[in-house]
């Protein structure tokens, strides 16, 4: 009815904690979990903003987010400067990042650099097919 105001104009703790937590999630969760959770975050915020705290879907979203966050722990360094917060360091014992895998040196058996060409070929297959189909359609029109 337009009678409620649920605006928060200043939330300095949230402005620091939320980006720090998101950085830990990015470090600990898989790319698929992180992409999926971003959409859920927006939907959860909508439900709460709309006053639907008791909506069963909100509880379901909480359960998923609790499960995803079981491994989220670590240390975040935040720089505060002129009203902004910026994450400058991050570490976690549960990080899904291994510097040795990101190098061109031997990875200790976790990853074979010789697998790269096949992975790239399979990963890009759909994109290459789309490119070929669209170019063929353009050629027929011209």
């Amino acid at each position: 009815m337009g009678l409620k105001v649920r605006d928060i104009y200043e939330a300095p703790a949230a402005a620091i904690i939320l980006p720090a937590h998101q950085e830990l999630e990015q470090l600990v969760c898989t790319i698929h979990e992180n992409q999926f959770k971003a959409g859920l975050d927006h939907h959860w915020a909508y439900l709460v903003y709309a006053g639907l705290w008791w909506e069963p879907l909100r509880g379901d979203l909480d359960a998923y987010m609790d499960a995803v966050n079981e491994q989220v722990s670590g240390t975040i360094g935040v720089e505060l400067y002129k009203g902004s917060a910026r994450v400058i360091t991050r570490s976690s014992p549960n990080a899904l990042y291994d510097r040795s895998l990101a190098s061109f040196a031997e990875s200790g058996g976790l990853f074979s650099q010789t697998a790269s060409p096949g992975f790239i070929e399979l990963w890009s297959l759909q994109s290459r097919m789309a490119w070929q189909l669209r170019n063929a359609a353009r050629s027929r029109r011209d």
Side-chain angles (χ1 to χ4, degrees):
M1 297 179 67
L3 300 175
K4 293 183 182 179
V5 175
R6 292 180 288 274
D7 292 344
I8 298 174
Y9 295 102
E10 293 184 19
I16 297 168
I17 293 170
L18 291 175
H21 183 80
Q22 187 177 28
E23 285 289 329
L24 277 177
E25 287 177 330
Q26 295 291 322
L27 187 62
V28 171
C29 298
T30 68
I31 187 171
H32 306 289
E33 289 172 315
N34 287 318
Q35 289 174 347
F36 186 67
K37 188 170 176 299
L40 294 185
D41 287 343
H42 289 287
H43 203 86
W44 187 93
Y46 166 76
L47 291 173
V48 172
Y49 180 79
L52 298 172
W53 186 258
W54 302 112
E55 166 62 39
L57 178 58
R58 197 225 17 107
D60 296 340
L61 295 176
D62 282 351
Y64 173 80
M65 291 182 193
D66 288 346
V68 167
N69 278 283
E70 284 179 3
Q71 296 296 310
V72 177
S73 66
T75 304
I76 294 289
V78 179
E79 178 182 72
L80 305 176
Y81 183 71
K82 293 187 177 185
S84 67
R86 183 173 67 102
V87 172
I88 55 172
T89 62
R90 62 186 194 164
S91 65
S92 173
N94 302 322
L96 296 181
Y97 173 78
D98 183 343
R99 177 171 280 173
S100 67
L101 293 176
S103 73
F104 289 102
E106 289 297 315
S107 67
L110 291 174
F111 173 72
S112 169
Q113 295 293 335
T114 59
S116 295
F119 171 78
I120 292 167
E121 185 174 333
L122 289 173
W123 183 256
S124 67
L125 179 61
Q126 191 176 41
S127 299
R128 290 183 290 121
M129 288 175 60
W131 183 85
Q132 286 178 343
L133 287 170
R134 290 172 187 162
N135 274 344
R138 280 188 208 113
S139 295
R140 286 191 298 271
R141 283 188 306 231
D142 295 341

